[in-house]
Amino acid sequence: MSIQKILLEFEPKLENLLRVLKEINKQEKYISESDCLKVAGYFSLPLARVFSLASFFDLMNTRPVKKKIIRVCSGGPCTMKRSFEIIRQIEMLLKIEMGNDSHPKVKLETMSCLGLCDQGPVMMIDEQVFEKVRPETVDDIILDYL
Amino acid sequence: MEIVTKNWEKINPLDINTYIRSGGYEALRKVIRETPLKVVSEIKRSGLRGRSGAGFPTGEKWEISAKIVADQKFIICNLDESEPGVYKDRIIAEKNPHQIIEGLLIGAYAIGAKRAFIYINGHYKKPAEILKIALEQAREKEFVGRGIMGSSIDVEIEIFSGAGAYICGEENALINSIEGKRGEPRLKPPHPPVSGLFGKPTIVNNAETLANVPYIIKRGADVYSKIGPSLSPGTKLFLLEGAVKNKGIFEVPLGTTAEDLIFNSLYGGGMEDGKEFWFAQIGGASGRLMPRGKLDQLLIYGPSEYPIGAGSILVVDKMADIKDLLFSWADFFHRESCGKCVPCREGTYRLWEIAKWLKNNDLKERDRENIEDILWTLSNTTFCPLGNFAAVAWSDAISMFSEEIFGK
Ligand SMILES: Cc1cc2nc3c(=O)[nH]c(=O)nc-3n(C[C@H](O)[C@H](O)[C@H](O)COP(=O)(O)O)c2cc1C
Ligand code: SF4
Ligand code: FES
């Protein structure tokens, strides 16, 4: 869907600005500067205002995402359920290091609690959430999804 | 004692009639025959305190907005819930969404708001969907929208989904993000009940706070205020996680001890087999560490050595690696610092670096000496409470377990 079409679904009121950006991110996977420019025009706002909003939040990207991103929850409850062993296991399997961006195709990061602590440890690969992950079985998940 | 979790097994969250059959929306019906100020005074007399963490008296807050004359007012249900270890608001929304909606409608009536928001954590897709369906059904029944229950009262409710930022749970940052601004805290005062969303009087309440409101209206402030301690009445949802046998969500009267909650077979049921209690973290990543000798402390809102926050209790056993936990706490705050003020932006980053070195057994003596300065800076000089939160568990850990952390 074109940006224009997304914009037409929302009135140019301030409380719709974040909603529009989230929708663009959902459809285009990231929000480019030219998208921001169109949004700024539609809402009659300065470009900087729109761009600073788009770049603030975890759930939106302002650059195309070229790598698979594996995220493991580092919250207290998941930590108590061995999430750091899961991280070590992935590091060994893919020969990468958490937080390091040197691998051409994947990146491994920690993430904040998703409020799924009762289903932990929790991991995400891109948008997909995995619950009750165990160090013993994480290899299978990773190999399946990469 | 069940207030919030009552009837959960009888209610189908996707069918409003199951909620109505269990007495749902009777409180709303009762309320719209009273004056708004009467409703405010009932909540005030009940002694209800906010369930988000600080325990601010709900009736007092409502009264501020209720007494202001303004062309527009707002009420917002805070369902941003992103404190590590806390997922009670998600469960309420999934099990009984109408309880939150009814509480929100009563609040809107009490303060005179025609527009309400449910601000929900951007990761909460399933609960958001359930709330959306619940709202549609409530609208069909004329509980939401124009002319509620045949009266001349209008209240519209919208769901606003966040975009992944812990700081947006803070009410001013939350309001900023609805207004399409970066989720950064604002300088207070003015506080939102006076000047909030679009500069209008705005009440922000936690979802669990609102879920208590229908009960208070139905049963009366006198009944409610007699549950638990008089300065902190009612029940609270606690979340038991970590090395405790029964994990999950438990509703108990405030004033229960941590000992009871963790070891009583009705709740936590003691430690997992073969594990020995070391300490419990009360209130999430920003919570204090409670040693065995303090387990008799009452869990309450109000002045207390161990603030209960949103109700998470992480039970840690003697086999746990304290360095992993130190990293877990530092990692969270370094990621979630909004970056507006230097002491928090730099302090959380430095602490995170130190946690990393510590975990890799690579900490230099000089960095070790810096820890206390960093913690002091975070505790005393940051713009909003997030910076203070970042130092709480670390400060306790350093003073209680320095041998385990640094060796002898
Ligand atoms: C850093 C920070 C994060 C917060 N996160 C939340 C949250 O996720 N949910 C919430 O209800 N309140 C949160 N609060 C508290 C809100 O600012 C506000 O006080 C609360 O929603 C009021 O609700 P109550 O009076 O019903 O407790 C947070 C506060 C701070 C300082
Ligand atoms: S203390 Fe942290 S979260 Fe709060 S304003 Fe400063 S940088 Fe932002
Ligand atoms: S701590 Fe991992 S989901 Fe809550």
Side-chain angles (χ1 to χ4, degrees):
Chain A
M1 194 165 22
S2 73
I3 305 295
Q4 230 54 47
K5 236 168 143 185
I6 296 175
L7 287 176
L8 287 177
E9 284 178 34
F10 295 90
E11 278 182 68
K13 289 190 192 159
L14 283 178
E15 61 265 43
N16 287 331
L17 184 55
L18 186 58
R19 289 170 166 153
V20 163
L21 292 177
K22 279 184 73 176
E23 191 59 31
I24 296 174
N25 190 74
K26 189 168 151 198
Q27 310 220 3
E28 314 277 316
K29 303 287 171 234
Y30 80 105
I31 307 162
S32 68
E33 196 180 323
S34 80
D35 296 343
C36 283
L37 207 57
K38 286 181 196 141
V39 173
Y42 185 67
F43 283 89
S44 312
L45 289 168
L47 173 62
R49 164 87 188 272
V50 175
F51 195 78
S52 80
L53 184 68
S55 61
F56 184 81
F57 292 96
D58 279 1
L59 292 180
M60 297 191 294
N61 306 302
T62 45
R63 260 180 249 138
V65 189
K66 298 214 176 82
K67 294 184 190 184
K68 289 254 177 220
I69 303 190
I70 306 171
R71 296 185 170 93
V72 180
C73 174
S74 68
C78 284
T79 299
M80 291 294 291
K81 288 176 183 148
R82 308 199 290 163
S83 58
F84 287 101
E85 279 178 53
I86 293 169
I87 290 174
R88 271 192 290 279
Q89 187 60 36
I90 302 173
E91 287 180 330
M92 281 196 300
L93 176 73
L94 299 176
K95 308 210 167 34
I96 54 178
E97 209 185 308
M98 178 178 70
N100 194 320
D101 209 1
S102 57
H103 195 285
K105 292 210 189 93
V106 267
K107 193 172 171 197
L108 175 64
E109 294 176 348
T110 53
M111 68 176 172
S112 298
C113 171
L114 294 189
L116 295 170
C117 325
D118 51 342
Q119 308 298 323
V122 178
M123 174 174 92
M124 282 178 92
I125 303 181
D126 294 339
E127 311 280 289
Q128 176 97 21
V129 178
F130 301 86
E131 301 174 349
K132 297 195 168 142
V133 180
R134 291 189 303 137
E136 297 80 22
T137 53
V138 70
D139 286 10
D140 296 341
I141 304 178
I142 301 282
L143 296 174
D144 260 9
Y145 275 83
L146 284 191
Chain B
M1 179 79 219
E2 293 178 335
I3 292 176
V4 176
T5 58
K6 197 172 162 61
N7 295 328
W8 273 5
E9 66 293 341
K10 283 193 222 150
I11 285 165
N12 173 356
L14 300 179
D15 180 1
I16 190 170
N17 292 314
T18 60
Y19 180 65
I20 294 174
R21 273 202 294 275
S22 72
Y25 289 107
E26 274 170 23
L28 180 65
R29 198 174 298 280
K30 190 167 164 190
V31 149
I32 58 175
R33 286 193 239 116
E34 318 239 16
T35 64
L37 283 178
K38 183 103 192 304
V39 181
V40 170
S41 105
E42 192 72 6
I43 299 299
K44 239 174 111 175
R45 280 200 313 119
S46 76
L48 175 65
R49 285 164 173 265
R51 289 335 189 208
S52 67
F56 194 88
T58 307
E60 268 82 345
K61 186 150 89 178
W62 286 12
E63 189 171 40
I64 300 170
S65 292
K67 288 198 164 154
I68 298 175
V69 181
D71 58 339
Q72 269 194 83
K73 298 181 194 177
F74 300 100
I75 183 164
I76 303 171
C77 167
N78 191 342
L79 224 153
D80 192 49
E81 193 163 68
S82 23
E83 181 75 36
V86 184
Y87 50 90
K88 63 186 177 76
D89 299 336
R90 168 174 70 81
I91 305 269
I92 304 173
E94 287 178 357
K95 297 277 188 187
N96 194 359
H98 288 288
Q99 202 174 355
I100 298 173
I101 295 172
E102 188 176 8
L104 187 58
L105 288 165
I106 293 169
Y109 177 69
I111 69 155
K114 291 192 172 14
R115 232 178 129 189
F117 289 89
I118 299 175
Y119 188 102
I120 189 165
N121 181 326
H123 287 288
Y124 282 5
K125 302 228 164 76
K126 182 177 150 203
E129 197 52 39
I130 292 174
L131 279 165
K132 190 170 150 240
I133 293 166
L135 272 180
E136 278 161 16
Q137 295 182 352
R139 197 166 283 127
E140 269 167 35
K141 298 264 181 204
E142 298 185 348
F143 300 156
V144 172
R146 308 203 66 139
I148 287 173
M149 291 176 163
S151 70
S152 58
I153 301 150
D154 308 332
V155 182
E156 284 298 342
I157 301 182
E158 286 171 55
I159 295 174
F160 194 99
S161 165
Y166 171 67
I167 190 64
C168 285
E170 194 281 328
E171 55 193 9
N172 286 292
L174 182 155
I175 288 169
N176 270 342
S177 80
I178 298 182
E179 289 181 8
K181 298 183 187 139
R182 288 166 75 92
E184 288 171 352
R186 301 174 173 183
L187 204 59
K188 297 192 235 187
H191 292 278
V194 177
S195 170
L197 188 60
F198 302 118
K200 306 291 177 188
T202 303
I203 293 297
V204 181
N205 271 134
N206 175 260
E208 184 187 348
T209 312
L210 293 171
N212 277 284
V213 166
Y215 178 94
I216 295 170
I217 297 296
K218 263 199 307 201
R219 305 296 296 273
D222 293 329
V223 172
Y224 189 85
S225 63
K226 291 199 180 71
I227 304 164
S230 58
L231 288 177
S232 170
T235 60
K236 172 85 192 87
L237 301 185
F238 285 97
L239 303 127
L240 287 178
E241 287 295 329
V244 61
K245 195 174 281 164
N246 309 325
K247 300 181 226 310
I249 193 161
F250 297 91
E251 180 172 21
V252 297
L254 284 161
T256 301
T257 63
E259 168 107 49
D260 206 17
L261 200 57
I262 297 170
F263 289 96
N264 190 324
S265 60
L266 286 175
Y267 317 124
M271 299 296 289
E272 278 177 344
D273 288 340
K275 295 202 170 159
E276 201 186 329
F277 182 90
W278 189 17
F279 62 87
Q281 187 180 25
I282 312 291
S286 47
R288 292 201 58 194
L289 311 183
M290 181 187 267
R292 172 125 229 162
K294 295 281 187 175
L295 279 171
D296 59 350
Q297 300 271 317
L298 305 186
L299 303 170
I300 52 162
Y301 284 113
S304 145
E305 210 180 327
Y306 294 88
I308 61 175
S312 130
I313 297 194
L314 182 67
V315 180
V316 179
D317 67 296
K318 292 207 163 139
M319 296 293 287
D321 188 344
I322 188 74
K323 293 179 187 174
D324 279 350
L325 286 167
L326 285 166
F327 183 82
S328 162
W329 299 321
D331 192 38
F332 177 71
F333 289 107
H334 143 254
R335 188 184 311 105
E336 300 295 347
S337 167
C338 84
K340 182 185 172 102
C341 71
V342 175
C344 169
R345 188 175 66 222
E346 295 300 317
T348 54
Y349 181 81
R350 294 282 289 126
L351 210 56
W352 173 78
E353 256 184 345
I354 287 171
K356 224 169 30 171
W357 293 328
L358 201 54
K359 213 155 115 54
N360 299 334
N361 294 316
D362 199 17
L363 188 75
K364 312 248 174 352
E365 187 57 33
R366 210 189 51 211
D367 301 316
R368 186 184 160 173
E369 285 162 8
N370 282 336
I371 295 178
E372 269 182 45
D373 288 345
I374 298 171
L375 294 176
W376 184 89
T377 307
L378 285 169
S379 309
N380 293 289
T381 63
T382 61
F383 183 78
C384 91
L386 186 144
N388 315 144
F389 292 170
V392 174
W394 265 73
S395 302
D396 274 354
I398 299 289
S399 67
M400 289 158 74
F401 313 123
S402 112
E403 214 167 273
E404 287 85 345
I405 299 169
F406 302 115
K408 282 177 203 154

